[in-house]
Amino acid sequence: GAVVSQHPSWVICKSGTSVKIECRSLDFQATTMFWYRQFPKQSLMLMATSNEGSKATYEQGVEKDKFLINHASLTLSTLTVTSAHPEDSSFYICSASIQGNEQYFGPGTRLTVT
Amino acid sequence: DQQVKQNSPSLSVQEGRISILNCDYTNSMFDYFLWYKKYPAEGPTFLISISSIKDKNEDGRFTVFLNKSAKHLSLHIVPSQPGDSAVYFCAATSSNTGKLIFGQGTTLQVKP
């Protein structure tokens, strides 16, 4: 149980375009979903926290107009990287929690902006 | 400000021996701690957790120890197996935020 999927698993896009990443909890309803970013050989950095039906809460330094998060249902959250630039190239990981402290992570999405 | 620190970027142990991964934290509000295992280009997989009201939690080959006074936790893997080779992240959270703060990770290599 507690499976989280992400789509796509990897994407290459041109600079200036937008990319949408989906995060789904497959066998449970997630009260909260989180989006992380990981640069090579670095820690996972929390970008934002989203609750179904409400606006996401962004961490300091994360541009909310650039990283649009939509949490339309208890099983789906999307992250849209708008006007992507090469410096946005990274590994994006979502997680979902039912309640309490444990989070279940998706497999991640590798974004490369050329 | 790195609230969760894993000061050893890498660790190499022989198969069958004990692996000890360490983690330090600075925020006294953290009350729940987790260890995750991660392979390259994959999401983290939950291993084991511990609440601040405990000082030890054991699950099979994995044991986590928490020293609240020292703000230190450690993950013991015994016996270590080659399949344990991965990056291990410790994470901490407080009940009032639910946010996980990750350490930098320690790459464990278990040699056959």
Side-chain angles (χ1 to χ4, degrees):
Chain A
V3 177
V4 177
S5 70
Q6 276 184 247
H7 177 80
S9 56
W10 64 274
V11 57
I12 301 173
C13 71
K14 291 185 177 180
S15 186
T17 62
S18 296
V19 174
K20 180 185 283 187
I21 303 170
E22 292 187 350
C23 176
R24 292 181 185 272
S25 55
L26 297 184
D27 51 0
F28 66 100
Q29 292 184 326
T31 52
T32 306
M33 288 185 168
F34 303 84
W35 286 94
Y36 295 83
R37 182 174 181 178
Q38 186 188 23
F39 291 104
K41 298 185 180 181
Q42 293 189 27
S43 182
L44 284 80
M45 300 299 297
L46 178 64
M47 298 175 65
T49 303
S50 73
N51 294 291
E52 182 264 342
S54 61
K55 290 183 179 180
T57 303
Y58 290 82
E59 294 301 300
Q60 190 174 10
V62 178
E63 298 177 57
K64 62 180 181 180
D65 294 330
K66 181 168 185 61
F67 299 99
L68 301 178
I69 292 173
N70 182 276
H71 194 161
S73 75
L74 287 172
T75 60
L76 173 64
S77 177
T78 60
L79 167 68
T80 301
V81 183
T82 63
S83 187
H85 291 283
E87 56 265 32
D88 298 325
S89 299
S90 189
F91 192 57
Y92 293 87
I93 306 173
C94 73
S95 71
S97 67
I98 304 171
Q99 59 181 11
N101 295 310
E102 290 181 16
Q103 295 179 23
Y104 302 93
F105 286 83
T109 297
R110 170 74 60 192
L111 170 63
T112 301
V113 184
T114 60
Chain B
D1 177 31
Q2 190 76 25
Q3 298 185 67
V4 179
K5 297 180 182 179
Q6 293 175 256
N7 292 316
S8 298
S10 64
L11 174 68
S12 181
V13 300
Q14 206 67 33
E15 179 179 8
R17 308 294 287 268
I18 185 171
S19 295
I20 300 177
L21 298 99
N22 294 303
C23 180
D24 297 293
Y25 62 96
T26 57
N27 190 338
S28 58
M29 297 300 292
F30 290 146
D31 56 11
Y32 197 78
F33 305 89
L34 308 91
W35 283 94
Y36 286 86
K37 178 180 181 181
K38 187 180 182 299
Y39 295 110
E42 293 185 13
T45 302
F46 171 74
L47 273 178
I48 192 169
S49 62
I50 188 167
S51 165
S52 60
I53 63 173
K54 295 184 176 181
D55 55 18
K56 177 183 175 181
N57 188 25
E58 190 172 353
D59 183 3
R61 297 186 297 115
F62 302 92
T63 303
V64 55
F65 295 91
L66 175 63
N67 183 332
K68 283 181 61 180
S69 60
K71 292 189 175 67
H72 176 84
L73 64 154
S74 60
L75 174 67
H76 293 211
I77 306 173
V78 56
S80 301
Q81 299 173 353
D84 295 329
S85 298
V87 180
Y88 289 78
F89 288 95
C90 71
T93 185
S94 61
S95 300
N96 62 339
T97 69
K99 298 177 184 178
L100 282 180
I101 307 299
F102 283 85
Q104 307 96 311
T106 296
T107 300
L108 172 65
Q109 182 184 26
V110 180
K111 297 180 179 178

